Amino acid sequence: MKIWAKTRVFAVYAVLGLCANSALAGDVTGLLTGSMQKLVLTDPPAPVPETELLTLTDAPASLSDLRGKWVVLNFWATWCAPCRQEMPALDRLQALRPDIAVVPVATGPNPLPALTRFWDEALITHLVPLRDPSRALSASVGVMALPVTLILNPEGQEVARLIGETHWDAPETLAVLDALGAP
């Protein structure tokens, strides 16, 4: 990646960091420890554009189907080593918190055989992967590197973002989700 591109990526993420939600910050900031230190609160909550996603069988899927639920929306790819490392923790989060929709979205070119092979090898049993082959959703929400995870409120708005991998089933993560109001 060229220096100017790296600088632009850094600038975008720095601006996101400066937008920490002051209303939630009092409730959550003290909990941003351990793997949650990278979490950035979004102020005001940002709408997530409606973009068509695909299931593994090429059926259309939509995030609007999840309205009314808290969503942990993870952007990943089969070729991304940190993404692959954190997927089992996302699977455990879904098992621990069935009222939260943990949604892994494979963004960009991810061959179906590679997706299903990884799911089988990693023993992922609680997650249903979606695909964003055109990168329409990931581009519209400013995902420039992987993995990136957005936490969406029941209205479908981004309330927090974490860039990089983390331990989604760690006690500090569960405490942050509780503080945000996720079940």
Side-chain angles (χ1 to χ4, degrees), residues 88-177:
L90 286 160
D91 191 54
R92 290 188 298 272
L93 173 62
Q94 185 64 84
L96 289 168
R97 297 293 175 90
D99 291 334
I100 296 174
V102 180
V103 181
V105 176
T107 188
N110 289 278
L112 283 175
L115 283 167
T116 56
R117 184 174 47 252
F118 171 66
W119 236 241
D120 292 342
E121 290 170 355
L123 303 174
I124 305 299
T125 59
H126 297 95
L127 301 177
V128 177
L130 296 178
R131 298 180 301 125
D132 181 21
S134 67
R135 294 195 70 251
L137 179 59
S138 59
S140 70
V141 295
V143 172
M144 295 181 222
L146 297 174
V148 170
T149 304
L150 309 181
I151 298 174
L152 309 181
N153 65 17
E155 291 77 39
Q157 301 166 316
E158 176 184 339
V159 296
R161 175 180 297 235
L162 193 137
I163 300 165
E165 69 179 296
T166 197
H167 304 287
W168 287 102
D169 57 339
E172 62 267 20
T173 303
L174 300 175
V176 167
L177 291 170

Side-chain angles (χ1 to χ4, degrees), residues 18-44:
L18 293 173
C19 294
N21 184 335
S22 56
L24 291 174
D27 299 329
V28 177
T29 301
L31 298 174
L32 299 180
T33 62
S35 65
M36 287 287 99
Q37 289 178 350
K38 299 182 285 186
L39 187 73
V40 175
L41 302 174
T42 308
D43 182 26

Side-chain angles (χ1 to χ4, degrees), residues 1-76:
M1 186 181 278
K2 297 186 184 257
I3 275 291
W4 66 270
K6 286 182 182 178
T7 303
R8 187 174 63 198
V9 168
F10 175 77
V12 168
Y13 289 137
V15 167
L16 289 171
L18 293 173
C19 294
N21 184 335
S22 56
L24 291 174
D27 299 329
V28 177
T29 301
L31 298 174
L32 299 180
T33 62
S35 65
M36 287 287 99
Q37 289 178 350
K38 299 182 285 186
L39 187 73
V40 175
L41 302 174
T42 308
D43 182 26
V48 174
E50 189 56 43
T51 313
E52 186 174 289
L53 300 170
L54 298 172
T55 66
L56 292 183
T57 61
D58 287 331
S62 172
L63 292 178
S64 64
D65 296 338
L66 301 171
R67 292 280 159 74
K69 293 186 89 163
W70 282 87
V71 177
V72 174
L73 182 65
N74 177 262
F75 292 92
W76 73 290

